[in-house]
Amino acid sequence: MGHDLILALREVSARYPAAPRDALAGVSLAVRNGEFVAVIGPNGSGKTTLLRVALGLLPPAAGTVEILGRPAGAWARRELARVVGVVAQREDNLFPQRVRETVLLGRYPHLSLWGAERPEDHAAVARALERCDAAALADRWIWTLSGGEYQRVRLARALAQEPRLLVLDEPTASLDVRHEMELFELVRGLVNRHALAAIMITHHVNLAARFADRVLLLDAGRAAAHGPAVEVLTRETVERVFAWPVAIEPFQGAPQMIPLRRPQP
Amino acid sequence: MRRWAHRTHLAGRLLAAVALLGGCGRAADRRAPRPAGTVTVTDDAGRVVSLAGPARRVVSLAPSSTELLFALGAGAQVVGRTTWCKYPAAARAVPVVGDGLSPNIEAVAATRPDLVVLYRSPLNETAAAQFARIGIAAVLVKQDRLEDIARAARLLGTLTGHGAAADSVAERMGAALRATETTPGRAVRLAFLVWDNPPMVIGAGSYLDQLAALAGGVNVFHDLPAASATVSLETIATRDPDVIAFLEDSATSSAPAYATRREWQTVRAVRERHFLALPADLFGRPSPRAAEAVAELRRLLQRGSGKWR
Amino acid sequence: MALRWLALAGLALAALGLAVVLGPAHVSLADLWTSEIVRNLRVPRALLGFVVGGSLAVAGAGLQALVRNPLADPFLLGLSGGAGLGAVGAIALHVGGPWALPLAAFAGALAAMALVFRLGLVGGAELDPRVLLLSGVAVGAFAGAVTTAIVSLSEAAQLRNAFLWLWGGLSGASWDTLLVLCIYVPVPLLVLFAAARPLDLLALGEEPARYLGADVTHVKRRVYLAASLLTAAAVAVSGVIGFVGLMVPHLCRGVWGHQHRLLLPASFLGGGVLLVLADTAARVAVAPHELPVGIVTALIGVPLFAVLLRRWATT
């Protein structure tokens, strides 16, 4: 498979209704399949807004957003869900379910209005669970899962959509180091083995640097830096954007950010 | 300091003396013979009501009491009525002080009455206590069945100084209750329908049931002890009354709205349009004109009910 | 799996059978086919009860998914208040005709529905569940207050009896009423059934549902309107019958799970069964008196609810 352009944002600006200033200003981003892009930045820098604009939920005030060559706004929601699988930041599952059932929800974009689930749907669910190393959890009730297990299940649901682009919004927010590493490894593996494209919004700068192909650093709605981690994570840039003194140390070829303590009086 | 203590001590003794005298006074009231002209009755809620003399300004908060007062000749003494008190015609000249459901204490008090007549209900017992607190005598009267009229007449007659008229009303009511004319042929079976959805019928507890019996008819729901009850439509259909009676406010000659509804056609009386519209001012409540009501009902039953379109 | 459906269908037939055979008027089995009471009163009443109960249950299930609240009930959205106001208004204005009350109640319910819908859109809120619930309570309370004011100020003695109608009952059931309902009900019912999958997605939250391909805005509007239309029709025909819309979806979830593709049809059948059984009990329990059916559904529903709560609390 070639390196198709899955998502292309060009000079995008966006503003929420009744907001005093732009949430995004002149941001560009291109993601091809086989690429893992990390989006990092301080709180309020526009990371989730970028996600919403990219998925057609918020129309851009300026610039264009294209998915597989078509404007994001032109995609019907079901159609888009067959191409982009999202693991949102928050999910509040109201009704108790088994893992298999909740992953099956990911097949919705492929089902007809009245049709029942077909064997290929169940096969897709099984495949997704396996790829996320969650096959053993298939019959468990979701409330019995740990945080890390639940995240893997949500990722499996997104995979069940059989998307070409995976989008994850701070998926490791409340996970411990082991589950965090497992999730990053999982995403990296999916991108490598199955030529998916992946965008991950994350606070974990260091892991982003080690796992992602490219990093987009946002600062108050603008792209402060964009490119391979070693180019983006320089001391000047990081200190300016995050407003905190850091030291940058290389580790296995990736720059790692170490926040410094303020000098004590 | 000492002077203050002395003052409070004195005030305390004064207070005690007043309380003692007051208590003595009330006790004295109960024991002493009443001055001439005092009117005392026990109303239908068991309360003792006492007036210095026959009531001159009466507010009546129940249509049945208003009618009774006028029938006793006390109409001139009535200074307030409810919007529902429309009989006799002379009553309409009396100012309205409320709708009677929950008495408007202030509006009633504004007419400066010396007696308020209320229909006996738990809500009105509270209202009567409120009237008593502001010094207005209140009497609770029960007028649910025909036999209540005589007692109510005597009660109100005593309170308004029309004892003689009350006696004659009571006698007329007694005669009406005792009157039994044998009706030729089979007794007409009827059902009184108060409401259609859900069907509500009148039972043995109501004066209408009494009127029907006196008029030579039979209430098919006489076996229900309550004044009114909700029953199934199929029960009405099975009991098959000859005629369905209902109270009508205005003198209309149209069948009730439900007469054309499909489910009501299972009732023979509806299917054959055997309805009886009873004027509300005569049949709406037990009144001194009960004898008239019985006679009218007998006439209607014997004539055979009119056929409605 | 199929066994559950067979059992429910069997239960439905049994309930309908009981409703036709039992009643305050004694009709022997031999006369069952020819009895006019059975043909013109009991059969349409049983069928009407089934359709009304089913409609309320499906509307309840849809609304519970829409407002993401398992305690939602079709009457939480102000429809009963609107219906009562409509009915009382019709009587106070002396509107005649055998269909005056049901039509006026229906119009009142629709007005309440439109008002709550409009309130749910205020300030750009897209039918936010909390806004819907609050608006529903407010509209219902307002309508109730106006109704009470009309009743206490008006002179018509009939008005107080109108409240009896509002308490709920299938006394007005006839083949005509059944026909009208059977023409009307399928459309909103189908709309709700078609929304089964998006409702499953909505249980995850509005944003995840969007990402999974659901057109959340339109689904919410359609579900709200369809559920309200079903409820308005139920109120117009049989007054306010509580607990069916709240309880039956929960009872069915215990057996069929949360997938709305199964839950909605099961709720329809379950609601029908519950209301028909309740109505039979209402007619027969204290014959010749007839209890308001809303009381019987509460008497049955509350203990069932308590059992459910215990199970829910212990899991």
Side-chain angles (χ1 to χ4, degrees), chain A residues 52 55 57 77-78 81 86 88 90-96 105-106 108-109 111 113-117 157 161, chain C residues 64-65 68-69 190 193-194 197-198 200-201 203-205 207-208 210-215 253 258-261:
Chain A
R52 295 213 174 106
L55 295 174
L57 291 178
R77 295 241 65 86
R78 270 168 68 102
V86 181
R90 251 183 302 275
E91 177 179 299
D92 189 10
N93 200 340
L94 199 54
F95 296 129
L105 289 178
Y108 173 77
L111 295 171
L113 190 61
W114 299 103
E117 290 92 19
R157 184 199 296 141
Q161 291 170 252
Chain C
Q64 283 169 3
R68 293 168 57 76
N69 190 326
L190 277 175
F193 284 171
R197 284 199 205 282
D200 287 342
L201 296 182
L204 295 175
E207 210 178 314
R210 281 207 174 87
Y211 294 141
L212 282 169
D215 189 350
R253 279 192 197 101
H258 293 269
Q259 258 208 320
H260 287 88
R261 273 189 82 235

Side-chain angles (χ1 to χ4, degrees), chain B residues 119 142-149 173 177 190-194 200-215 217-229 245-247 278 280 282-287 290 293-294 297, chain C residues 289:
Chain B
Y119 173 74
K142 176 169 101 84
Q143 281 180 254
D144 296 330
R145 290 172 61 80
L146 296 178
E147 54 265 28
D148 296 334
I149 308 284
M173 287 300 305
L177 285 178
L190 44 61
F192 290 93
L193 204 67
V194 177
M200 277 187 68
V201 296
I202 295 289
S206 163
Y207 65 92
L208 284 171
D209 180 271
Q210 292 179 297
L211 287 180
L214 288 170
V218 169
N219 178 8
V220 297
F221 287 103
H222 184 75
D223 60 319
L224 300 180
S228 70
F246 57 94
L247 292 175
L278 303 176
L282 183 60
F283 291 90
R285 56 183 173 274
S287 79
V294 170
L297 186 56
Chain C
H289 295 274

Side-chain angles (χ1 to χ4, degrees), chain B residues 262-280:
Chain B
R262 189 153 168 184
E263 67 271 15
W264 279 92
Q265 307 312 308
T266 51
V267 178
R268 181 177 61 93
V270 174
R271 202 167 53 231
E272 297 174 359
R273 299 286 190 270
H274 288 162
F275 290 108
L276 209 56
L278 303 176

